[in-house]
């Protein structure tokens, strides 16, 4: 996420080390050095950012292109795609600036951009989870103006907090002038006396993960209860009852499992890691975290029937009636 680094003590730019070498963490530099050797981990992050940007740019274009995609669900999906798109662009810019413009100011801006983008992405995922829960728990009043206001309020709060977090490194909350306070992801600090530090960001992630876990458990209960009630109304439990329930639970498990598998290693390492550890550890946990932004469009956008319909119209110019699409409700998982 915030793949970056600090100045070395002499003030000269620290050279880029090979993937497995040395007890250093990811480093920024402040003065133009001699051309640095290309780090394969940085290349992989740049490739990941390119794939993320392309995938999510398509989702944003589809939602903006289609007037029918204006429901709260698609507003949230659009917010997630926008955040992931910015994160992908941030990874690309971080690579470019890291090897072409070795500037402390530019590096801080890039780090702040990545912090804000990934924070907005995680916050949008939480907002989508809340929306899915509300669409099932308050199904009769879901399409009211109150729901729209609630969604817009959640998004405004999520993006506001994310932007503030992104600005803090630039405004001085960094460890460029105090190497002892650095975390495994420089220039973010690990000290608890600062407003922005890796420990606080990791704790926020764990909290969001637990909230999502709780909400998805409640969603599973509601889905199972609704399917059972429908089956009882038909006086017998049909095979479709079990299929529908199993499919819903499996999808929720995939969503939460993907999110946890992507971000948990990085969040845990930020807490337990030491800045003297080899940088390969930071890269190895950071790279899977970026994959979450690569998988999000597949889970939340491309599987949706309305998105598929809009893609067909966008690329083919017309909708062929022989292709069958089923409109999905916001509560579909």
């Amino acid at each position: 996420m915030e793949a970056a680094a600090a100045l070395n003590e002499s003030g000269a730019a620290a050279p880029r080390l090979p993937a497995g070498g040395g007890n250093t963490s990811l480093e920024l530099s402040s003065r133009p050095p001699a051309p640095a050797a290309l780090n394969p981990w940085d290349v992989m992050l740049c490739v990941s950012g390119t794939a993320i940007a392309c995938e999510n740019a398509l989702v944003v274009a589809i939602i903006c292109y289609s007037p029918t995609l204006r429901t709260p669900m698609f507003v949230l999906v659009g917010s997630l795609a926008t955040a992931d798109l910015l994160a992908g662009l941030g990874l690309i810019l971080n690579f470019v600036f890291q090897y072409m413009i070795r500037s402390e100011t530019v590096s801080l801006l890039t780090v702040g951009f990545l912090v804000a983008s990934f924070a907005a992405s995680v916050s949008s995922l939480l907002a989508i989870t809340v929306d899915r829960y509300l669409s099932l728990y308050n199904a009769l009043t879901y399409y009211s103006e109150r729901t729209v206001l609630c969604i817009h309020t959640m998004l405004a709060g999520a993006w506001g907090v994310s932007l503030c977090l992104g600005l803090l490194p630039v405004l001085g909350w960094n460890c460029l002038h105090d190497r002892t306070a650095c975390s495994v992801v420089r220039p973010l600090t690990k000290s608890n006396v600062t407003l922005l530090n890796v420990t606080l960001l990791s704790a926020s992630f764990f909290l969001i993960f637990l909230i999502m876990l709780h909400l998805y458990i409640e969603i599973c209960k509601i889905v199972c209860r609704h399917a059972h009630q429908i089956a009882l109304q038909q006086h017998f439990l049909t095979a479709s009852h079990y299929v529908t329930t199993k499919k819903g639970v499996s999808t929720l498990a995939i969503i939460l499992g993907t999110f946890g598998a992507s971000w948990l290693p990085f969040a845990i390492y930020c807490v337990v890691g030491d800045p003297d550890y080899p940088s390969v550890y930071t890269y190895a946990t950071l790279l899977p975290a970026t994959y979450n932004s690569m998988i999000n469009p597949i889970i939340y956008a491309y599987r949706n029937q309305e998105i598929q319909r809009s893609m067909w119209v966008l690329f083919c110019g017309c909708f062929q009636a022989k292709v069958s699409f089923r409109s999905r409700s916001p509560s579909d998982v």
Side-chain angles (χ1 to χ4, degrees):
M1 167 171 41
E2 308 86 4
L7 302 171
N8 57 16
E9 295 178 358
S10 64
R16 301 295 305 176
L17 295 177
N23 289 332
T24 68
S25 52
L26 304 175
E27 295 196 354
L28 297 175
S29 54
S30 62
R31 298 180 183 179
L38 200 61
N39 189 329
W41 287 99
D42 290 328
V43 174
M44 286 189 287
L45 284 174
C46 183
V47 171
S48 177
T50 303
I52 290 169
C54 292
E55 280 186 293
N56 288 281
L58 179 58
V59 176
V60 173
I62 290 171
I63 293 178
C64 294
Y65 171 82
S66 306
T68 58
L69 303 181
R70 296 293 184 268
T71 63
M73 177 182 67
F74 291 114
V75 171
L76 291 171
V77 172
S79 172
L80 175 63
T82 301
D84 287 334
L85 169 60
L86 295 176
L89 294 176
L91 290 172
I92 298 173
L93 292 175
N94 181 70
F95 177 83
V96 173
F97 294 146
Q98 194 168 319
Y99 288 95
M100 300 181 65
I101 307 177
R102 307 296 292 273
S103 165
E104 176 181 317
T105 302
V106 172
S107 297
L108 283 175
L109 289 173
T110 305
V111 170
F113 188 79
L114 285 170
V115 169
S117 300
F118 280 113
S121 176
V122 173
S123 300
S124 295
L125 286 173
L126 177 60
I128 289 176
T129 306
V130 173
D131 175 69
R132 287 184 167 181
Y133 174 75
L134 292 177
S135 68
L136 289 170
Y137 186 77
N138 296 322
L140 297 179
T141 60
Y142 176 78
Y143 289 99
S144 65
E145 293 183 0
R146 182 178 179 181
T147 299
V148 176
L149 178 61
C150 177
I151 296 300
H152 289 166
T153 302
M154 280 197 303
L155 288 181
W159 279 92
V161 171
S162 300
L163 290 175
C164 289
L165 290 175
L167 286 173
L168 289 179
V170 182
L171 296 177
W173 283 275
N174 58 67
C175 66
L176 290 182
H177 303 293
D178 183 10
R179 292 173 60 88
T180 60
C182 284
S183 69
V184 295
V185 185
R186 298 171 180 169
L188 300 183
T189 68
K190 194 174 182 178
S191 172
N192 290 326
V193 299
T194 59
L195 290 178
L196 178 66
N197 55 74
V198 166
T199 303
L200 176 61
L201 292 176
S202 298
S204 300
F205 168 81
F206 292 132
L207 178 60
I208 290 176
F209 181 77
L210 290 176
I211 293 175
M212 291 178 62
L213 177 61
H214 172 72
L215 289 176
Y216 274 128
I217 290 175
E218 293 300 317
I219 290 174
C220 284
K221 291 180 181 179
I222 296 174
V223 170
C224 293
R225 185 165 60 247
H226 286 181
H228 185 70
Q229 289 174 349
I230 293 174
L232 290 179
Q233 290 176 357
Q234 298 175 351
H235 305 293
F236 60 91
L237 297 177
T238 62
S240 61
H241 162 69
Y242 297 104
V243 172
T244 301
T245 303
K246 182 179 179 180
K247 181 180 178 181
V249 173
S250 299
T251 303
L252 294 176
I254 291 174
I255 292 173
L256 196 62
T258 300
F259 178 66
S262 299
W263 279 105
L264 277 176
F266 181 67
I268 293 174
Y269 181 66
C270 285
V271 175
V272 303
D274 188 274
D276 292 329
Y277 291 170
S279 62
V280 64
Y281 296 161
T282 304
Y283 279 115
T285 54
L286 174 62
L287 189 61
T290 66
Y291 293 158
N292 188 65
S293 295
M294 195 182 303
I295 298 172
N296 282 340
I298 300 174
I299 295 178
Y300 295 96
Y302 295 135
R303 292 176 63 251
N304 185 277
Q305 299 291 339
E306 295 297 331
I307 294 287
Q308 293 175 12
R309 186 203 307 270
S310 298
M311 287 179 61
W312 187 273
V313 174
L314 181 64
F315 288 115
C316 300
C318 62
F319 177 75
Q320 296 182 6
K322 64 179 181 181
V323 181
S324 176
F325 293 94
R326 179 178 62 88
S327 179
R328 304 181 69 176
S329 68
S331 60
D332 286 348
V333 292

